Amino acid sequence: MTGTLSNPSGSDIPEPAPIRVALVDDQQLVRGGFKMLINSQPDLTVVAEAGNGEEAVRALSAVRADVVLMDVRMPGMDGIEATSRILERAAAQPKGSSDAELKVVVLTTFDLDEYALSAIRAGASGFLLKDAPPEELLDAIRTVYRGDAVIAPSTTRRLLDHVAPLLREPTAEVSRHAADVERLTPREHEVFGLIAQGLSNPEIAAHLFLSDATVKTHVGHILAKLGARDRVQAVVIAYETGIVAP
């Protein structure tokens, strides 16, 4: 619900609605700890909890969320299948609606976990360890929600480096992505390479002597041409197509 704040001039300023977070983990204590941390932030609120993938799919069909923190290994439907189903449903929503912008962050206790790669390929927007510092978890939620910056904790980079040979295996999807990369203009290709290195929009702008607005436009065109939901998906494609080497 959106409220209002009064500024010194007496006019009302709309107070932004908090970012709605769903927690999916089979350990109730873990969910409880995350819930306390997230709800302690004025700009974040937990709107749903689930103990496995099936519960998550049901819950998110009834409750609107912006970001899902998804455990990978759970009994019954695991986090990979749940991520795929939830994001397929989100992709079917009208473009521009809040339901279509749902993002998933994968949580795991395993540093180099190939399950996490599968979840990212299914559309998840990032990968974090459950024992990451609280500030990193909270920042990841906000970063994914904004959609204009890359989540690049060292674990995500190490994961992609670790499984790079798997990403390079020839498949129809990899061939399609290679063809999509060929469609990029020279400038877009340049920006894509910097995205793949983990640079943010302001960093890319400084590197190429462009305005932030111009970089944002290029990034939007690149994601559209690659069929990537976000920058993390673009980085995966960069690994698949050899733009980035471990």
Side-chain angles (χ1 to χ4, degrees), residues 7-62:
N7 66 18
S9 66
S11 61
D12 288 333
I13 302 172
E15 181 182 355
I19 300 169
R20 300 164 297 191
V21 181
L23 301 175
V24 185
D25 195 294
D26 61 331
Q27 298 181 51
Q28 192 168 354
L29 281 175
V30 172
R31 294 202 311 271
F34 284 155
K35 185 175 183 178
M36 288 178 61
L37 173 65
I38 292 166
N39 283 341
S40 72
Q41 305 297 300
D43 62 329
L44 305 174
T45 184
V46 174
V47 295
E49 295 181 59
N52 60 42
E54 291 172 353
E55 290 179 12
V57 172
R58 286 198 302 271
L60 289 166
S61 67

Side-chain angles (χ1 to χ4, degrees), residues 66-70 83 87 100-107 116-128 140-141 143-147 149-153 156 159-160 228-236:
D66 301 306
V67 178
V68 182
L69 297 184
M70 178 75 73
T83 295
L87 293 179
E101 299 300 318
L102 179 67
K103 303 288 176 61
V104 175
V105 176
V106 173
L107 295 170
L117 173 67
S118 298
I120 288 174
R121 276 185 144 170
S125 296
F127 169 76
L128 285 173
I141 295 170
T143 298
V144 166
Y145 176 72
R146 287 198 308 269
V150 67
I151 288 188
T156 300
L159 170 77
L160 291 173
R229 284 177 55 85
D230 54 32
R231 297 170 79 110
V232 171
Q233 298 293 307
V235 172
V236 170

